[in-house]
Amino acid sequence: MKLTRHLAAPLCALALTAPASATEGERIQITGEIIDTWCYFSGVMGGPDAVVGSAHHTCALWCSAGGIPVGLLGEDGEVYMVLKIEGDDQNASGDTNLNLASHEITADGMLYKRDGLNYLVVEKVVTDHGITNLNHEDYGVVPGFAIPDPKK
Amino acid sequence: MKRIIASALIAASPAAAADFSEGSTAKSWNLYAEAPAFFEAKVVDITCEVTGDCPDNCGDGNRQLGLLRAADGVLVFPNKNAQSGFQGATVDLLPFCGKSVEVDGLLIEDEDIKGASNIYQVQTIREAGTEDWTKANTWSKVWAAKYPEAKGKGPWFRRDPRVNAHLAETGHFGLGLEKDAELIKELFE
């Protein structure tokens, strides 16, 4: 059966949007902050500018240790869900993710895209810049209970 | 042929248009972009699904697990389990690795935040074709079994040995102990 113009268009759209399992990645180098994605995406602790950086560091540790997925918040504003870092595939509560919580890193690796999300396999942390987003100057500590009151 | 065209059109529709609220009894968390979502899916290792690197048993709890939704093939990312606090969903989903399940929870689709799409908070899970639901709240018990030396009062995240080692080394803001003491003094004076 020949494809008519009316049929061909949706089938082309299908080809573009259908999930492709285990797709080929694209090499990229990107700089950004290792964040906890649940707080960032859900807004449960506040707006996106408040749930990153030094203000949110303790919570980022809690979330990473608790198995919340970590992402790299790129300078382009995109979030790249981290699948591996330098061969460590323990992306649920792993030590490598925990050690980099809130750090700005420059990463070289492979980018995969699937159903609206970016996925990143970091083959090399080119530079670990440490914690550079000093947003505690604007937000204090987020959430407020992250630091127990020393007087109590 | 009509069926093929219909399938193509559904698959080509924006993900944001998907509504899986029918049949859901998920509890609201009063999140800005939450929507109740009940659907059937296969539990998969996300790294395997995306890159083709596939160890046994979905990575044995060390890897994030995903929900490959039956209705449209979309890979949904469960970021959170049903417990309040800071726990992901891997521990709760691992017993269902490779299985078809039904899940109920909250889907996050926030057009104002890049990447906030197909993010999920799973509240209950059951294997497809079975009756009994499992609450996605097992993380703390598994943590307690892993760190018996951390037994004590208060929530787990105040007692977690790995977290506390970081706090002892670089402080709550991650900027070093001297800076930490200075900031804490400012905060609580």
Side-chain angles (χ1 to χ4, degrees), chain A residues 1 7 10-11 13-14 17-23 37-38 40-45 48 54-55 57-59 61-70 76-79 81 83-84 89-95 98-99 112 114-117 119 121 131 134 136 140-141 143-151, chain B residues 1 4-5 7-9 11-13 29 31-33 46-53 55 61-64 68 72-75 77-80 85-90 108 110 113-121 139 146 156-158 160 162-163 166-167 170-175 179 183-184 187-189:
Chain A
M1 178 181 178
L7 178 56
L11 286 180
L14 173 62
T17 58
S21 186
T23 55
T37 56
W38 172 249
Y40 190 81
F41 287 144
S42 72
V44 69
M45 296 284 178
S54 55
H57 178 62
T58 298
C59 188
L61 290 172
W62 290 343
C63 288
S64 187
I68 301 278
V70 308
D76 56 2
E78 296 279 352
V79 176
M81 309 299 285
L83 297 180
K84 296 182 187 178
D89 69 346
Q90 297 193 8
N91 55 36
S93 191
D95 285 337
L98 185 66
N99 294 340
Y112 303 82
R114 177 82 182 261
D115 298 323
L117 290 175
Y119 293 95
V121 172
I131 298 177
L134 305 181
H136 65 274
V141 60
F145 63 83
I147 303 176
D149 186 339
K151 294 171 195 161
Chain B
M1 185 51 68
I4 294 173
I5 296 171
S7 298
L9 289 171
S13 299
W29 276 32
L31 303 170
Y32 172 72
I46 290 182
T47 305
C48 164
E49 186 68 20
V50 172
T51 71
D53 171 15
N62 293 313
R63 289 181 168 198
Q64 298 292 339
L68 197 57
D72 53 10
V74 164
L75 180 59
F77 202 140
N79 280 33
K80 185 72 189 80
F86 309 93
Q87 306 86 348
T90 292
I108 305 293
D110 190 339
I113 298 178
K114 284 185 180 179
S117 181
N118 294 313
I119 301 298
Y120 195 58
Q121 185 245 356
W139 191 94
K146 188 175 180 182
W156 71 269
F157 49 85
R158 300 262 190 227
D160 185 87
R162 292 193 302 156
V163 169
H166 275 276
L167 295 180
T170 60
H172 289 85
F173 298 92
L175 303 174
K179 185 69 176 174
L183 293 171
I184 289 172
L187 272 175
F188 291 98
E189 272 189 352

Side-chain angles (χ1 to χ4, degrees), chain A residues 4 13 21 29 34 49 54 65 69 92 102 117-118 125 133 137 139-141:
Chain A
T4 66
S21 186
Q29 189 164 111
I34 297 292
D49 291 342
S54 55
S102 318
L117 290 175
N118 301 306
V125 177
N133 182 359
E137 293 168 0
Y139 296 102
V141 60

Side-chain angles (χ1 to χ4, degrees), chain B:
Chain B
M1 185 51 68
K2 282 180 181 175
R3 188 178 298 171
I4 294 173
I5 296 171
S7 298
L9 289 171
I10 289 169
S13 299
D19 180 357
F20 292 91
S21 62
E22 188 176 345
S24 175
T25 58
K27 292 177 183 171
S28 170
W29 276 32
N30 296 313
L31 303 170
Y32 172 72
E34 72 176 33
F38 168 83
F39 56 90
E40 188 174 335
K42 181 183 175 186
V43 176
V44 297
D45 163 8
I46 290 182
T47 305
C48 164
E49 186 68 20
V50 172
T51 71
D53 171 15
C54 306
D56 291 340
N57 195 31
C58 296
D60 258 343
N62 293 313
R63 289 181 168 198
Q64 298 292 339
L65 302 186
L67 294 165
L68 197 57
R69 198 160 54 200
D72 53 10
V74 164
L75 180 59
V76 174
F77 202 140
N79 280 33
K80 185 72 189 80
N81 76 352
Q83 296 178 284
S84 62
F86 309 93
Q87 306 86 348
T90 292
V91 167
D92 297 287
L93 289 169
L94 186 62
F96 302 94
C97 165
K99 294 180 179 175
S100 289
V101 296
E102 290 179 317
V103 290
D104 202 1
L106 301 172
L107 198 60
I108 305 293
E109 292 281 349
D110 190 339
E111 291 179 354
D112 295 331
I113 298 178
K114 284 185 180 179
S117 181
N118 294 313
I119 301 298
Y120 195 58
Q121 185 245 356
V122 60
Q123 297 186 2
T124 53
I125 315 154
R126 71 179 173 192
E127 192 170 347
T130 65
E131 292 294 319
D132 295 332
W133 289 98
T134 300
K135 288 184 181 175
N137 62 1
T138 58
W139 191 94
S140 299
K141 282 183 184 173
V142 172
W143 176 88
K146 188 175 180 182
Y147 296 107
E149 74 280 10
K151 190 176 180 181
K153 290 182 178 176
W156 71 269
F157 49 85
R158 300 262 190 227
R159 294 180 279 122
D160 185 87
R162 292 193 302 156
V163 169
N164 286 342
H166 275 276
L167 295 180
E169 189 177 340
T170 60
H172 289 85
F173 298 92
L175 303 174
L177 296 182
E178 193 177 336
K179 185 69 176 174
D180 214 55
E182 178 191 321
L183 293 171
I184 289 172
K185 190 177 176 188
E186 283 176 23
L187 272 175
F188 291 98
E189 272 189 352

